[in-house]
Each structure stands twice: as structure tokens, then as C-alpha cells.
Amino acid sequence: MNEFHLAVEMTFVSTPHGTDEQFEEFLDEVVLQLDNIGREANLAARLGDRVADFAASVTANDFTMAAAAFLMDLRTALHAAGCHTAGWPVFEATDHKVRELLEA
């Protein structure tokens, strides 16, 4: 097994349009949900552009399996953060990129 350092950049839209503060609260909830399922992740975001970059280290046999595991956990956390929070705008991903981060 190898450790892969991955980042997923996602762009979001919301209906109705949410504030930067609401988007930040949404992203905080996504990170909390990732933590709840045992996936430690770091978050960087451009709130005004509705872009979030989630990064994590994943142990797997290869990059494909690592990416699949991280995407599955991220999807679970996004679902938990967006589907059960009454009164929040719905933020929907419109784009995502998965890339392997190399050691510095």
C-alpha cells in the first residue's frame, strides 16, 4: 500500500444564491462530515468564486483506488452537508478536478 496526497477542486452554485458566510458554513459542515466518517481533510476556498479545494492523504494500492476512495468520502460528506440542513441554500458542484500532489 502507498500513501497518495490528493486534492479535489470543486466549483459550486447555489439556489437561491447564498452569501459568502453561508457558503463558508456549508464548507465547514462538509469538513465536519468528512471528519465524522474518519477522513481527515484540509480545505482551501475562494468564497466569492464558490471554489473549494479539499486535500487528503489516502492509503491505497494505486492512484485510481486512492482517488475513488477520496471521491466516495467527499460525496458522502457533501450529501450529508447539503441534504439535511433546512434553510440553507443548496450548493451544487458544477465541476471537479482530481490531481495527485507530489512531495515537496
Side-chain angles (χ1 to χ4, degrees), residues 17-102:
H17 182 72
T19 65
D20 289 352
E21 291 78 18
Q22 288 172 314
F23 183 55
E24 183 175 20
E25 289 173 7
F26 167 74
L27 293 176
D28 288 343
E29 183 66 20
V30 173
V31 171
L32 176 64
Q33 294 303 324
L34 282 165
D35 188 54
N36 286 344
I37 60 174
R39 174 67 66 201
E40 185 178 330
N42 294 307
L43 169 68
R46 295 190 318 266
L47 298 177
D49 295 329
R50 299 300 189 260
V51 173
D53 198 310
F54 300 93
S57 295
V58 180
T59 302
N61 289 329
D62 57 39
F63 173 79
T64 302
M65 293 305 293
F70 187 35
L71 287 171
M72 180 178 64
D73 288 348
L74 187 54
R75 179 183 169 127
T76 299
L78 288 165
H79 178 79
C83 292
H84 303 290
T85 310
W88 279 12
V90 176
F91 291 97
E92 245 178 273
T94 58
D95 184 50
H96 72 271
K97 297 173 186 80
V98 179
R99 62 192 185 280
E100 182 177 3
L101 301 177
L102 303 176

